[in-house]
Amino acid sequence: MTIITIAIDGFSSCGKSTLAKALAQKLHYNYIDTGAMYRCVTLYALRHGFIDKKQNIEERKLITVLPMINVDFIFNAHKKTSETYLNGENVEHEIRGMEVSNNVSKVSAIHEVREKMVALQREMGKNKAVVLDGRDIGTNVFPNAELKIFMTADNDIRARRRMDEYTAHGQFFTLEEVKLNLHKRDYADSHRKENPLTRAKDAIILDNTDLTKEEQLEFVLKLIADMQLTKDRVE
Ligand code: DC
């Protein structure tokens, strides 16, 4: 079986990470949650007072401390998935909170932040056998990825899934609050100057509105099996 790079891009809360984790587990690939990396930078900025209540960011200060921000993924054998570490601290839970979600789009639009994160992502994925999810993986980080998926789903379904996730973690928001956050992020992520969210021309669209987790995994595994067959026939 040829080792490949799998790029999964799409809107917020479409189930990208669920699919990416399942694929990584099934194929014994590494999983790189690129959104978690931008969330770490945002958490760092919040903790150091670089973002005020009105969501104004002290960009210069943040850019100056970027060399001090280290993001790692460490595999948790018990949970069978990798977790996000910011400067050695497990922040997997904290980076998913609403405060980070409300500020991450602005932080991720800063040129120097993207430059650093993209370089890290390319380094982490350079040996292939990797699944990355994000917004610009197929268009910018790994434009030569062998398999590109662009995920989408109905807005209400996405908001409800995200609200259920918050609730499961003891954070309570109305459906409207969650919808507003998703809408604002999608708009900002798709309209920023640098590497906005857009479908790579060769990405396969996966609308999972009516699919279960198992069905979406099957769909992608079949794509990979078909790719392999085609490759074997050509060689
Ligand atoms: O996938 P996520 O919702 O955890 O991502 C959080 C934010 O990070 C998202 O709103 C935009 C930004 N992001 C990005 O700009 N580029 C990526 N490759 C991944 C995420």
Side-chain angles (χ1 to χ4, degrees):
M1 186 91 170
T2 319
I3 286 171
I4 61 169
T5 298
I6 304 175
I8 303 180
D9 289 302
F11 297 104
S12 299
S13 295
C14 275
K16 298 185 298 294
S17 64
T18 304
L19 173 63
K21 279 181 195 167
L23 278 169
Q25 205 178 333
K26 186 91 189 166
L27 302 169
H28 303 290
Y29 277 19
N30 284 325
Y31 165 51
I32 301 172
D33 178 347
T34 65
M37 300 169 74
Y38 293 100
R39 285 174 180 272
C40 279
V41 179
T42 308
L43 179 63
Y44 187 97
L46 284 165
R47 283 179 173 179
H48 288 77
F50 300 153
I51 305 179
D52 70 16
K53 292 266 174 279
K54 290 188 178 153
Q55 302 182 352
N56 298 307
I57 304 175
E58 296 199 66
E59 283 194 24
R60 282 291 126 208
K61 284 193 183 162
L62 180 56
I63 291 165
T64 310
V65 300
L66 275 178
M68 286 182 248
I69 303 180
N70 292 306
V71 182
D72 294 305
F73 295 106
I74 298 179
F75 191 74
N76 180 328
H78 178 64
K79 293 187 181 161
K80 294 200 184 105
T81 188
S82 57
E83 293 181 321
T84 315
Y85 284 71
L86 168 61
N87 292 341
E89 174 193 352
N90 186 335
V91 290
E92 182 59 37
H93 179 61
E94 201 172 347
I95 54 169
R96 314 286 166 194
M98 193 54 106
E99 206 187 0
V100 171
S101 293
N102 279 335
N103 289 286
V104 66
S105 285
K106 263 191 162 181
V107 170
S108 69
I110 300 170
H111 168 76
E112 288 79 357
V113 172
R114 298 205 73 77
E115 200 174 41
K116 173 167 171 147
M117 294 301 122
V118 169
L120 256 173
Q121 291 154 18
R122 288 187 178 142
E123 177 61 28
M124 288 174 173
K126 67 179 180 197
N127 295 327
K128 297 195 179 205
V130 73
V131 189
L132 301 101
D133 77 339
R135 304 294 187 286
D136 62 339
I137 310 302
T139 52
N140 174 48
V141 183
F142 285 112
N144 296 326
E146 290 83 355
L147 179 61
K148 299 181 188 176
I149 307 285
F150 188 86
M151 286 182 76
T152 178
D154 174 81
N155 286 346
D156 284 349
I157 300 267
R158 291 162 50 199
R160 187 156 290 284
R161 285 176 187 159
R162 181 47 66 106
M163 194 177 80
D164 291 345
E165 260 173 47
Y166 279 129
T167 308
H169 286 102
Q171 300 178 45
F172 302 97
F173 300 102
T174 64
L175 193 62
E176 285 314 310
E177 283 172 314
V178 177
K179 255 190 188 172
L180 185 66
N181 172 262
L182 294 188
H183 175 73
K184 279 188 176 167
R185 276 206 291 144
D186 285 345
Y187 186 87
D189 297 342
S190 320
H191 289 83
R192 69 170 174 238
K193 252 194 352 223
E194 203 171 331
N195 303 128
L197 166 65
T198 168
R199 180 172 81 87
K201 283 194 191 75
D202 49 349
I204 293 160
I205 295 179
L206 170 52
D207 181 336
N208 69 4
T209 304
D210 298 314
L211 296 183
T212 63
K213 290 174 189 173
E214 293 74 25
E215 285 168 338
Q216 70 176 11
L217 177 63
E218 280 312 308
F219 174 84
V220 179
L221 288 175
K222 177 152 187 337
L223 287 177
I224 296 171
D226 290 348
M227 271 172 58
Q228 194 67 39
L229 270 182
T230 315
K231 191 171 176 300
D232 290 348
R233 256 186 240 128
V234 172
E235 282 171 357

